[in-house]
Each structure stands twice: as C-alpha cells, then as structure tokens.
Amino acid sequence: MKLLLQIFTWWNGQTIGTRFHTWRHGQRVGEDEFGNVYYQGGKDSEGRTRRWVIYNGPAEASAIPPGWHGWMHHRTDIAPADDNYVPREWQKPHRPNLTGTPQAYRPRGSLARAGERPRVTGDYDAWTPRS
C-alpha cells in the first residue's frame, strides 16, 4: 500500500524519480527526530553537492528542524548528525503549518475570526472609480 501511495501521490514520502535518484546517487547522511531522512549525492546546477530529504509522511517543508534546514540550504557543510547538534536557545521547536485548519492564525478583523469585526474609524477612505 505504501508503494502505491508513493507512485500516485507526490506529497507522500518520495516520488518515483526521487526513489531512482536516491538509489543511484544517494548517500544517507542522517535522520531527524521526526523520521525524515536526509541524503546527498551528485551535483546541483551551481556545482554544489545536491542535498534532499525524504519526508516521513506528507511533504511539509516546515517539518525540517533548524539544524537540518541550515545543512539543506548549504549554510553549513557539517550535518547535525555528524556534529552532535544542539539547537540554540532562540530556535523554536517545530509547529506544523496550520493554514486551512481551525487552529490557523486569524488576525483581528478577519472574516474567518469569530466575534464582531471592529468598526471602521474614519482613517480609511474607500476607493471609487471617479476619485
């Protein structure tokens, strides 16, 4: 069943192209606390070592922890698995992207937010075609 999901859905795990590239060129670098597996191999268009992740579940870029994010984007050449990486105190833990869910951020005045909208104060003039 998992193979069928990977064949017919690009957002679940890895695609056939990624599976082939990983098999052919991939060198496993490490795994994060969410079960995402990181690879490197081959060269990208800028001549750097190509790096990619195979997500454990749906492909969600915000699920990459800060240390691995830095490695993925070539900010550092040392992978967190090789460096005994410890997040800095200012780095926040992962929170999933809540867009489209009831927990999504809805600022004051949003039509999607419960309650009454604030009244217009007069510092706003509506646009009209002849103004």
Side-chain angles (χ1 to χ4, degrees):
M1 182 69 173
K2 189 171 184 177
L3 179 63
L4 288 176
L5 267 175
Q6 290 178 354
I7 290 172
F8 293 108
T9 60
W10 59 264
W11 59 87
N12 225 329
Q14 60 184 319
T15 62
I16 294 298
T18 303
R19 181 183 292 270
F20 180 73
H21 186 80
T22 302
W23 170 75
R24 192 147 180 239
H25 302 286
Q27 171 192 359
R28 185 183 167 121
V29 176
E31 185 173 332
D32 65 22
E33 62 266 24
F34 304 116
N36 301 324
V37 182
Y38 298 86
Y39 293 89
Q40 68 180 0
K43 298 288 181 187
D44 66 9
S45 61
E46 296 177 17
R48 301 177 301 186
T49 302
R50 185 169 180 231
R51 298 173 177 174
W52 67 96
V53 59
I54 295 180
Y55 295 99
N56 180 22
E60 176 59 57
S62 69
I64 297 177
W68 283 106
H69 182 273
W71 179 81
M72 288 281 295
H73 293 278
H74 297 275
R75 301 287 183 247
T76 179
D77 287 330
I78 301 170
D82 298 338
D83 193 30
N84 294 328
Y85 176 79
V86 176
R88 308 225 179 195
E89 62 186 43
W90 48 264
Q91 290 174 323
K92 295 181 178 183
H94 168 70
R95 285 191 343 184
N97 183 347
L98 300 174
T99 303
T101 70
Q103 294 82 29
Y105 174 68
R106 290 168 173 69
R108 226 174 113 247
S110 168
L111 294 175
R113 187 172 183 170
E116 190 173 326
R117 291 192 61 185
R119 298 189 62 75
V120 177
T121 60
D123 61 345
Y124 170 79
D125 294 323
W127 178 84
T128 57
R130 297 173 197 251
S131 60

